Amino acid sequence: MAETTRTNTGSADGTGGASGAAAARAGTDSMLRRTLGERRIALVAWRLLVLQNAHPAVAAGVSQLSTYRNHPWRRIEHTMDSGRRLFFSDQSDQEALRREIQRLERSHRRIAGTDDRGRPYTALDPAVRVWVLVTLYEAMTALRALSGRPLRPAQLDRLYREFREVCTAFELPDELFPPTAADVPGYIRATIRDTLELTEAAQDMLYTVLTRAPAPRRLGRLRSAWPLLRRLVARFLTALTLADLPPEFRAKFGLPRSRGAAVLSRVVHRGARTVALQLPDRLRYRTLPNGDRARPRQTGAPGQVRAPRQVRASRPRRDNRPARIAAFYRQVMDQTGDGRLTSADFEAMAHNVCWPLELDQAGESAVYAAFDTWWRHLLTTTDADGDGGISCEEFVTAMLAGVDRDPAYLDRGLHIAVRAMFHAADLDHSGLLDAEEYRALFGGSRVHPAELTHGFRQLDTDGDGQITEEEFVKGFTEFFTARTESTAGTQLLGRP
């Protein structure tokens, strides 16, 4: 009863009035916000990803262009951040919703091609986009059903109206959506029957991605135990996801649901519901119904350039550059995790720069063009065996030779990308980065504020509270040129 009361305020039957959906989404009584903002929605996140990646078009784009295999945590963070912008924008802030949709469309426009069976695909296909959206709604209803408290018909109608209100901003054909909440289960069953496949991407999500995933930054002191924890987490999520997938999906692809997995699902979901109802909102919700973050996370995202930390004096050693540059290759540049740099890795880096900044099309295009220039410069100076890719050894060797031989070597590649990052982050076009702009570029919800403060102070060499373009470029230059760890720029990836 307590749960029903908290998610069903605003009208006696939970359906709202003529403008119930609009009022609910704008206020703290939104069923959509309360369901999507709860931390326990993470329990069905992997199930959601499996269903989405079982669509051949989604799987083709993910397999060929995504970096999820090497950076699954960042993929999830980006998805959750985008969801927050989409579903927690107030009626008075429709501009934020519009910008997010435009950004998603620009990103998806780059995802097109032919899959391994010769079928063309594009991420802008309206039917594919509707599938991705509707599976998110279905995940919210599944969470409640799996927890032993399925939504009543009137509640399902209200949730679906609130959900469709947001979806109208995508300007997708209405006829592609299930007309009502009651039609959603039939839509899911029909798509499973007629369209979905047990794609390589879906199988990766089920069985292999987590077995090789890097340690989440939030583990802190438990990081050294990640190889053991990873196996346990992978087995847990695989068993839970197999138990929670729709019966039609499991039946079509012959996926087992053991008795133990069924018990696990029941205990986990019902236990999580019981605990959640006892928690204060700041702990129960990742994003509060009013759109505020309940408690900002304070960790870095794998695969992104982390803000420099405070310099710690270290004993001088003979040329630390090779290990530092190799670490940069692995942690920042090799976005796909295949040990080989290609244009896809540079597109992914450009995407990660643009993602938190909410740039317009011109701003995004400038960043992508700069990273493409860096890629082409590296390809012509680094690809020693001419295979069209750059190994870690090739990269380290070429970078050391280039910076030692030619003072202008970085100007023709890396610096172009770094300057593009600076201009993208300079949102007020002042020619300077203040602390807020620096935080938007390197931080967001993924880096501890103290770490950002330390990094900002290091690059702010004159201590005036602002970073010039040259100070910014200098930090990256020092990372690749300083032979010891005694300068600020060498700390771009954190403490050595």
mmCIF file of all heavy atoms in Angstrom, residues 394-410:
data_model
loop_
_atom_site.group_PDB
_atom_site.id
_atom_site.type_symbol
_atom_site.label_atom_id
_atom_site.label_comp_id
_atom_site.label_asym_id
_atom_site.label_seq_id
_atom_site.Cartn_x
_atom_site.Cartn_y
_atom_site.Cartn_z
ATOM 1 N N GLU A 394 53.617 0.881 -32.138
ATOM 2 C CA GLU A 394 53.809 1.869 -33.197
ATOM 3 C C GLU A 394 53.550 3.276 -32.669
ATOM 4 O O GLU A 394 54.292 4.222 -32.990
ATOM 5 C CB GLU A 394 52.874 1.577 -34.371
ATOM 6 C CG GLU A 394 53.264 0.375 -35.209
ATOM 7 C CD GLU A 394 52.253 0.090 -36.302
ATOM 8 O OE1 GLU A 394 51.043 0.306 -36.066
ATOM 9 O OE2 GLU A 394 52.665 -0.350 -37.391
ATOM 10 N N PHE A 395 52.503 3.426 -31.869
ATOM 11 C CA PHE A 395 52.150 4.742 -31.356
ATOM 12 C C PHE A 395 53.237 5.290 -30.439
ATOM 13 O O PHE A 395 53.658 6.442 -30.587
ATOM 14 C CB PHE A 395 50.818 4.654 -30.599
ATOM 15 C CG PHE A 395 50.376 5.959 -29.998
ATOM 16 C CD1 PHE A 395 49.952 7.012 -30.798
ATOM 17 C CD2 PHE A 395 50.389 6.140 -28.624
ATOM 18 C CE1 PHE A 395 49.544 8.213 -30.248
ATOM 19 C CE2 PHE A 395 49.980 7.340 -28.056
ATOM 20 C CZ PHE A 395 49.561 8.382 -28.870
ATOM 21 N N VAL A 396 53.695 4.488 -29.488
ATOM 22 C CA VAL A 396 54.724 4.951 -28.553
ATOM 23 C C VAL A 396 56.004 5.302 -29.299
ATOM 24 O O VAL A 396 56.609 6.365 -29.075
ATOM 25 C CB VAL A 396 54.993 3.876 -27.482
ATOM 26 C CG1 VAL A 396 56.175 4.291 -26.604
ATOM 27 C CG2 VAL A 396 53.756 3.658 -26.616
ATOM 28 N N THR A 397 56.425 4.436 -30.199
ATOM 29 C CA THR A 397 57.666 4.677 -30.947
ATOM 30 C C THR A 397 57.576 5.948 -31.777
ATOM 31 O O THR A 397 58.492 6.782 -31.776
ATOM 32 C CB THR A 397 57.961 3.477 -31.865
ATOM 33 O OG1 THR A 397 58.103 2.295 -31.069
ATOM 34 C CG2 THR A 397 59.234 3.702 -32.662
ATOM 35 N N ALA A 398 56.456 6.113 -32.492
ATOM 36 C CA ALA A 398 56.315 7.273 -33.364
ATOM 37 C C ALA A 398 56.195 8.569 -32.568
ATOM 38 O O ALA A 398 56.752 9.599 -32.950
ATOM 39 C CB ALA A 398 55.103 7.097 -34.271
ATOM 40 N N MET A 399 55.466 8.533 -31.455
ATOM 41 C CA MET A 399 55.310 9.741 -30.650
ATOM 42 C C MET A 399 56.648 10.194 -30.080
ATOM 43 O O MET A 399 56.984 11.384 -30.116
ATOM 44 C CB MET A 399 54.315 9.497 -29.521
ATOM 45 C CG MET A 399 52.873 9.383 -29.964
ATOM 46 S SD MET A 399 52.227 10.882 -30.771
ATOM 47 C CE MET A 399 52.270 12.033 -29.405
ATOM 48 N N LEU A 400 57.427 9.271 -29.552
ATOM 49 C CA LEU A 400 58.730 9.641 -28.992
ATOM 50 C C LEU A 400 59.645 10.182 -30.083
ATOM 51 O O LEU A 400 60.337 11.195 -29.885
ATOM 52 C CB LEU A 400 59.371 8.423 -28.318
ATOM 53 C CG LEU A 400 58.685 7.945 -27.030
ATOM 54 C CD1 LEU A 400 59.328 6.648 -26.544
ATOM 55 C CD2 LEU A 400 58.770 9.012 -25.946
ATOM 56 N N ALA A 401 59.644 9.508 -31.225
ATOM 57 C CA ALA A 401 60.500 9.976 -32.324
ATOM 58 C C ALA A 401 60.040 11.335 -32.818
ATOM 59 O O ALA A 401 60.862 12.220 -33.096
ATOM 60 C CB ALA A 401 60.474 8.958 -33.464
ATOM 61 N N GLY A 402 58.723 11.525 -32.921
ATOM 62 C CA GLY A 402 58.201 12.779 -33.450
ATOM 63 C C GLY A 402 58.503 13.963 -32.548
ATOM 64 O O GLY A 402 58.977 15.001 -33.019
ATOM 65 N N VAL A 403 58.230 13.838 -31.236
ATOM 66 C CA VAL A 403 58.436 14.977 -30.345
ATOM 67 C C VAL A 403 59.917 15.265 -30.132
ATOM 68 O O VAL A 403 60.308 16.417 -29.877
ATOM 69 C CB VAL A 403 57.732 14.751 -28.988
ATOM 70 C CG1 VAL A 403 56.232 14.624 -29.179
ATOM 71 C CG2 VAL A 403 58.289 13.541 -28.259
ATOM 72 N N ASP A 404 60.768 14.243 -30.232
ATOM 73 C CA ASP A 404 62.202 14.467 -30.067
ATOM 74 C C ASP A 404 62.826 15.083 -31.318
ATOM 75 O O ASP A 404 63.789 15.854 -31.232
ATOM 76 C CB ASP A 404 62.909 13.149 -29.740
ATOM 77 C CG ASP A 404 62.639 12.674 -28.320
ATOM 78 O OD1 ASP A 404 62.184 13.493 -27.507
ATOM 79 O OD2 ASP A 404 62.874 11.482 -28.029
ATOM 80 N N ARG A 405 62.267 14.741 -32.463
ATOM 81 C CA ARG A 405 62.852 15.187 -33.720
ATOM 82 C C ARG A 405 62.341 16.555 -34.151
ATOM 83 O O ARG A 405 63.091 17.372 -34.707
ATOM 84 C CB ARG A 405 62.530 14.160 -34.809
ATOM 85 C CG ARG A 405 63.073 14.522 -36.196
ATOM 86 C CD ARG A 405 62.608 13.523 -37.251
ATOM 87 N NE ARG A 405 61.166 13.565 -37.447
ATOM 88 C CZ ARG A 405 60.318 12.620 -37.082
ATOM 89 N NH1 ARG A 405 60.766 11.533 -36.483
ATOM 90 N NH2 ARG A 405 59.019 12.744 -37.298
ATOM 91 N N ASP A 406 61.049 16.819 -33.897
ATOM 92 C CA ASP A 406 60.401 18.003 -34.480
ATOM 93 C C ASP A 406 59.589 18.725 -33.413
ATOM 94 O O ASP A 406 58.565 18.203 -32.951
ATOM 95 C CB ASP A 406 59.494 17.555 -35.625
ATOM 96 C CG ASP A 406 58.810 18.719 -36.329
ATOM 97 O OD1 ASP A 406 59.085 19.883 -35.972
ATOM 98 O OD2 ASP A 406 57.993 18.454 -37.231
ATOM 99 N N PRO A 407 59.978 19.920 -32.996
ATOM 100 C CA PRO A 407 59.221 20.670 -31.978
ATOM 101 C C PRO A 407 57.778 20.945 -32.392
ATOM 102 O O PRO A 407 56.917 21.158 -31.525
ATOM 103 C CB PRO A 407 60.020 21.974 -31.848
ATOM 104 C CG PRO A 407 61.389 21.639 -32.324
ATOM 105 C CD PRO A 407 61.205 20.627 -33.412
ATOM 106 N N ALA A 408 57.511 20.953 -33.704
ATOM 107 C CA ALA A 408 56.160 21.257 -34.181
ATOM 108 C C ALA A 408 55.339 19.994 -34.445
ATOM 109 O O ALA A 408 54.229 20.087 -34.977
ATOM 110 C CB ALA A 408 56.239 22.094 -35.463
ATOM 111 N N TYR A 409 55.848 18.843 -34.061
ATOM 112 C CA TYR A 409 55.169 17.582 -34.370
ATOM 113 C C TYR A 409 53.746 17.547 -33.789
ATOM 114 O O TYR A 409 52.791 17.199 -34.470
ATOM 115 C CB TYR A 409 55.985 16.409 -33.831
ATOM 116 C CG TYR A 409 55.341 15.058 -34.027
ATOM 117 C CD1 TYR A 409 55.372 14.425 -35.259
ATOM 118 C CD2 TYR A 409 54.678 14.429 -32.981
ATOM 119 C CE1 TYR A 409 54.766 13.181 -35.441
ATOM 120 C CE2 TYR A 409 54.068 13.196 -33.149
ATOM 121 C CZ TYR A 409 54.117 12.579 -34.384
ATOM 122 O OH TYR A 409 53.515 11.354 -34.557
ATOM 123 N N LEU A 410 53.598 17.924 -32.527
ATOM 124 C CA LEU A 410 52.289 17.881 -31.891
ATOM 125 C C LEU A 410 51.333 18.927 -32.464
ATOM 126 O O LEU A 410 50.112 18.746 -32.411
ATOM 127 C CB LEU A 410 52.419 18.075 -30.380
ATOM 128 C CG LEU A 410 53.208 16.994 -29.623
ATOM 129 C CD1 LEU A 410 53.263 17.322 -28.136
ATOM 130 C CD2 LEU A 410 52.591 15.620 -29.836
#
